[in-house]
């Protein structure tokens, strides 16, 4: 085990997949000599050539369409959209083609492709380059959706996505690229649909996704000093969702908070809350489930406003303290 960044972990996984399987290839804007919008593919074209690491025109619809077609012929394309916001241009290919072909062909055709994209705020990139749109894809039958929160998970889950015979949407957060974690050398695969308990606790369960996992862990550390024990659950894959792990945790703590960066309105936090509400665990809750998410506004470019638009460590701390006080009173 050595410590590397989230970006380096992704780069390693892509290189290992290219080396191991000739059917794997990358395609996207500026992924060759430039190394991608955030540097994830840096050095791969020099090593594997322009046939395996293909530069594309600035056309997200064409990138997605080419990936779908290649996957249907037996290739394993990994497409990159520089920003998750640009998925809007590729929705027809992803939602109406990639997600539906296996079903509509009676199982005789598969679409083993991966869409990698960077989402989230924190860079001052404003409303058209800072959205968290992963919840859109969770609504589409036929797609799998992954959102790793650290370098270790990112590498293992990317390998799982590449090996899966279904189209997989792989969401990375821009602010996580420089974060570090202990990551094994060589290939390893983490199973899809298995959540991870990032921190054990007894008083309240927080189900957090993406970058909110790191913020919640820092909040839990601080709350622990005041005697509040927080359990942190990271779903890691939104589809398929590991309901058992999060419900077992809530059954133990009897309090639940759901934290996402995506806007709360019609977001994936609502789905997580519904999973809890529709389970037998809901009858044991000491307090109704609390949701934290982004404000229902276009993402501001100004730094202070941008921070106020999404949950921060302080927001999470205040929320949990209030929940504990209210449930104790009840």
């Amino acid at each position: 085990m050595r410590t590397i960044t989230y970006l380096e972990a992704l780069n390693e996984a892509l290189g290992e997949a290219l080396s191991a399987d000739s059917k794997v290839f990358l395609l996207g804007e500026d992924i060759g000599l430039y190394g991608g919008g955030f540097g994830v593919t840096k050095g791969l074209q020099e090593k594997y050539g322009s046939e395996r690491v293909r530069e594309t025109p600035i056309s997200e619809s064409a990138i997605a369409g080419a990936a779908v077609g290649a996957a249907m012929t037996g290739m394993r394309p990994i497409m990159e959209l520089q920003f998750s916001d640009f998925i809007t241009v590729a929705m027809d290919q992803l939602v109406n083609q990639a997600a539906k072909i296996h079903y509509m062909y009676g199982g005789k055709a598969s679409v083993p492709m991966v869409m990698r994209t960077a989402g989230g705020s924190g860079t001052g990139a404003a409303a058209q380059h800072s959205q968290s749109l992963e919840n859109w894809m969770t609504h589409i039958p036929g797609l799998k959706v992954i959102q790793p929160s650290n370098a270790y998970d990112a590498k293992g889950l990317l390998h799982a996505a590449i090996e899966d015979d279904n189209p997989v949407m792989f969401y990375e957060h821009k602010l996580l690229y420089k974060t570090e974690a202990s990551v094994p050398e060589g290939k390893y695969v983490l199973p899809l649909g298995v959540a991870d308990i990032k921190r054990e606790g007894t008083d309240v369960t927080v189900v957090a996704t993406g970058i909110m996992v790191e913020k919640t862990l820092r909040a839990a550390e601080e709350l622990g000093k005041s005697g509040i024990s927080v359990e942190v659950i990271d779903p890691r894959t939104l589809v398929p969702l590991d309901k058992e792990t999060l419900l077992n945790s809530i059954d133990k703590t009897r309090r639940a908070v759901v934290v996402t960066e995506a806007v709360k309105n019609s977001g994936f936090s609502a789905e997580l809350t519904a999973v809890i509400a529709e389970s037998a665990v809901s009858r044991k809750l000491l307090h109704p489930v609390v949701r934290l998410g982004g404000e229902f506004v276009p993402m501001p470019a100004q730094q202070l406003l941008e921070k106020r638009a999404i949950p921060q460590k302080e927001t999470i701390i205040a929320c949990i303290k209030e929940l504990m006080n209210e449930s104790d009173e009840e």
Side-chain angles (χ1 to χ4, degrees):
M1 298 283 278
R2 70 268 143 86
T3 299
I4 61 173
T5 66
Y6 190 104
L7 185 152
E8 290 169 332
L10 292 170
N11 182 273
E12 281 192 357
L14 292 172
E16 289 162 0
L18 286 165
S19 178
D21 188 348
S22 62
K23 297 188 295 294
V24 173
F25 74 98
L26 316 183
L27 69 162
E29 300 159 2
D30 297 325
I31 66 169
L33 295 178
Y34 187 65
F38 296 92
V40 174
T41 58
K42 189 175 180 62
L44 296 179
Q45 189 179 72
E46 291 89 333
K47 186 172 183 179
Y48 297 99
S50 58
E51 290 288 309
R52 306 285 305 285
V53 183
R54 288 176 171 259
E55 298 268 9
T56 67
I58 303 175
S59 174
E60 286 75 19
S61 180
I63 296 168
V68 172
M72 289 183 68
T73 68
M75 301 297 286
R76 290 187 174 272
I78 305 169
M79 57 173 281
E80 177 180 310
L81 297 183
Q82 284 189 359
F83 293 89
S84 71
D85 315 68
F86 300 167
I87 199 172
T88 54
V89 189
M91 288 294 270
D92 179 58
Q93 297 292 348
L94 296 172
V95 173
N96 291 326
Q97 306 304 326
K100 304 297 191 297
I101 284 171
H102 183 69
Y103 170 78
M104 295 184 71
Y105 280 63
K108 295 179 181 178
S110 297
V111 187
M113 59 171 280
V114 178
M115 181 210 73
R116 289 185 43 253
T117 191
S121 63
T123 62
Q128 296 175 335
H129 297 76
S130 304
Q131 297 173 88
S132 299
L133 301 177
E134 60 280 348
N135 56 286
W136 285 11
M137 296 294 101
T138 66
H139 187 70
I140 308 302
L143 299 179
K144 296 186 178 182
V145 184
I146 301 176
Q147 194 176 26
S149 66
N150 60 75
Y152 173 81
D153 289 350
K155 183 176 180 180
L157 290 170
L158 183 53
H159 270 302
I162 296 167
E163 293 185 354
D164 200 285
D165 287 333
N166 301 281
V168 180
M169 309 293 106
F170 196 91
Y171 284 87
E172 304 151 16
H173 197 287
K174 298 190 289 287
L175 292 185
L176 289 176
Y177 283 134
K178 294 182 180 179
T179 61
E180 296 182 334
S182 295
V183 178
E185 294 187 22
K187 176 183 175 181
Y188 61 94
V189 179
L190 295 178
L192 304 186
V194 179
D196 191 32
I197 302 173
K198 298 299 187 190
R199 178 188 174 100
E200 294 189 353
T202 55
D203 292 327
V204 57
T205 295
V206 180
V207 184
T209 61
I211 197 170
M212 289 300 150
V213 174
E214 184 266 341
K215 293 184 179 183
T216 300
L217 287 170
R218 289 192 286 117
E221 183 72 23
E222 191 164 324
L223 286 164
K225 298 174 183 177
S226 58
I228 299 175
S229 177
V230 180
E231 183 147 297
V232 181
I233 306 294
D234 178 3
R236 299 198 291 193
T237 63
L238 308 187
V239 179
L241 177 65
D242 181 359
K243 299 178 183 180
E244 182 178 2
T245 296
L246 69 92
L247 290 176
N248 285 342
S249 174
I250 296 166
D251 186 53
K252 175 179 66 175
T253 64
R254 298 195 295 168
R255 299 179 182 90
V257 177
V258 178
V259 189
T260 66
E261 177 169 336
V263 294
K264 192 164 68 169
N265 191 64
S266 299
F268 191 69
S269 61
E271 175 63 23
L272 291 169
T273 302
V275 167
I276 300 166
E278 293 171 356
S279 73
V281 172
S282 64
R283 296 193 290 271
K284 300 181 181 180
L285 292 176
L286 299 174
H287 188 280
V289 180
V290 178
R291 283 198 298 150
L292 291 177
E295 297 292 336
F296 194 54
V297 296
M299 187 59 65
Q302 202 276 341
Q303 187 178 35
L304 293 177
L305 292 176
E306 186 181 36
K307 286 185 176 181
R308 291 194 64 176
I310 63 169
Q312 303 294 339
K313 181 191 75 171
E314 295 74 18
T315 320
I316 299 168
I317 290 172
C319 169
I320 293 174
K321 284 183 175 180
E322 183 177 355
L323 180 150
M324 294 297 297
N325 290 334
E326 290 179 356
S327 57
D328 287 344
E329 290 172 3
E330 293 173 3

